[in-house]
Amino acid sequence: MKVSKYSANGNDFVIFHSDVKADRSKLAKIVCNRQEGVGADGLIVIVPHDKYDFEWQFYNSDGSTAEMCGNGSRACAHYAFYNELAPKNMSFLTEAGVINAEVDANSGMVLSELTPPKILEKDIIFGGKNWWKLDTGVPHMVSFTENIKEFDILEARELRYKYNANVNIAFVDGNNLRVRTYERGVEDETLACGTGMAACFYRALMEKKISGDIEVYPKSGDTLYLGMNDKTITFKGKVKRVFETEWKI
Ligand SMILES: N[C@@H](CCC[C@H](N)C(=O)O)C(=O)O
């Protein structure tokens, strides 16, 4: 099997395509294992679709499925374009809905239009902080902090299980955001989370802490570009194809 390893600003994925849609939960655990597998935060499998350029199956590293993944959507679009599975402007089906993406072949920049954001619950008080629960394709808890260096992983883990959501803290840096995310299904902090950055962006926009298009800096230190496009969030940044290999399981 030919597989590619991608990094989307530190959020890393194993990607391959197949003609068969199947349960690949066990495979996800094996390939994502950082000691005995390729090592990644998630596995993406591209399968054919009648109406859209393709459909994807997304798995977290623990084998659980997720409806959506922002960084994964950009990495997947890049893979699909370079493997001639889709044109540079493409639409593909996820469990959260249809995602439109655009690959810039020269710069390696990929833009993805996320599903319309939803506020699920406001003003949840936990650990002395005010949290909002939002859906940007998958559920996210968002709170603002004055000190982005302090992210209490144990508290985040407690909140993750209580609300079955990913957990983000964000620091408003001028008109930009610094974000850290504890990811469900990886069960730890990751270097970047696209739908998490989008959830922080949306809460900050709703509370008028920021305006217009902004830059977001995840833990990896990279720069992502977020903006509102009608009702959807546009999410842009570089992706890196780390390597491609043949892998026998
Ligand atoms: N890293 C992703 C989100 C992946 C899914 C998430 N871990 C969940 O289970 O909800 C992103 O970039 O959005």
Side-chain angles (χ1 to χ4, degrees):
M1 183 171 70
K2 197 172 92 172
V3 299
S4 291
K5 163 92 188 253
Y6 269 82
S7 173
N9 312 99
N11 210 187
D12 55 350
F13 307 97
V14 171
I15 307 180
F16 68 90
H17 61 282
S18 165
D19 288 338
V20 186
K21 191 175 173 187
D23 179 356
R24 293 184 168 97
S25 171
K26 276 191 195 142
L27 180 66
K29 271 184 165 172
I30 295 167
V31 295
C32 292
N33 188 295
R34 295 206 183 268
Q35 281 72 43
E36 295 176 359
V38 179
D41 294 325
L43 169 70
I44 296 169
V45 186
I46 295 178
V47 294
H49 194 271
D50 286 347
K51 196 165 159 202
Y52 302 102
D53 289 304
F54 58 88
E55 178 179 358
W56 87 355
Q57 297 183 277
F58 181 88
Y59 298 91
N60 286 308
S61 58
D62 69 355
S64 61
T65 56
E67 294 84 349
M68 176 52 189
C69 172
N71 288 323
S73 69
R74 292 184 303 109
C76 176
H78 192 278
Y79 176 100
F81 177 64
Y82 278 90
N83 285 282
E84 297 177 354
L85 303 172
K88 72 182 180 71
N89 288 290
M90 66 188 83
S91 299
F92 59 94
L93 189 62
T94 71
E95 279 182 33
V98 178
I99 299 298
N100 299 316
E102 186 181 340
V103 179
D104 182 334
N106 298 322
S107 64
M109 281 277 185
V110 184
L111 180 142
S112 174
E113 255 180 37
L114 306 180
T115 51
K118 291 181 216 117
I119 298 166
L120 301 176
E121 200 177 333
K122 282 185 179 177
D123 302 332
I124 299 163
I125 306 299
F126 185 89
K129 296 187 195 68
N130 179 304
W131 299 88
W132 283 21
K133 187 176 183 185
L134 303 102
D135 187 310
T136 47
V138 284
H140 284 275
M141 306 300 291
V142 172
S143 180
F144 292 103
T145 179
E146 284 307 315
N147 185 1
I148 196 72
K149 287 194 178 136
E150 278 178 20
F151 187 29
D152 187 336
I153 299 296
L154 293 182
E155 183 185 279
R157 191 167 288 137
E158 215 182 313
L159 199 60
R160 172 261 181 268
Y161 283 106
K162 189 161 183 204
Y163 290 93
N164 188 24
N166 303 281
V167 179
N168 307 265
I169 56 163
F171 171 71
V172 182
D173 189 350
N175 194 45
N176 298 316
L177 292 178
R178 295 190 183 275
V179 172
R180 292 179 66 178
T181 307
Y182 176 98
E183 271 196 61
R184 193 175 71 157
V186 178
E187 301 314 337
D188 212 338
E189 183 178 13
T190 55
L191 293 180
C193 176
T195 49
M197 289 184 262
C200 296
F201 166 70
Y202 195 62
R203 176 172 177 178
L205 206 60
M206 290 300 102
E207 293 194 304
K208 299 193 173 24
K209 292 179 191 292
I210 52 161
S211 62
D213 295 352
I214 69 157
E215 292 184 357
V216 181
Y217 317 112
K219 184 171 161 103
S220 66
D222 287 347
T223 303
L224 281 303
Y225 305 89
L226 281 96
M228 270 318 274
N229 177 4
D230 192 14
K231 287 190 175 114
T232 65
I233 295 174
T234 57
F235 175 49
K236 190 167 93 175
K238 268 200 174 162
V239 299
K240 185 174 171 193
R241 194 172 54 148
V242 181
F243 64 82
E244 188 180 87
T245 187
E246 284 290 330
W247 212 53
K248 266 201 187 137
I249 299 170

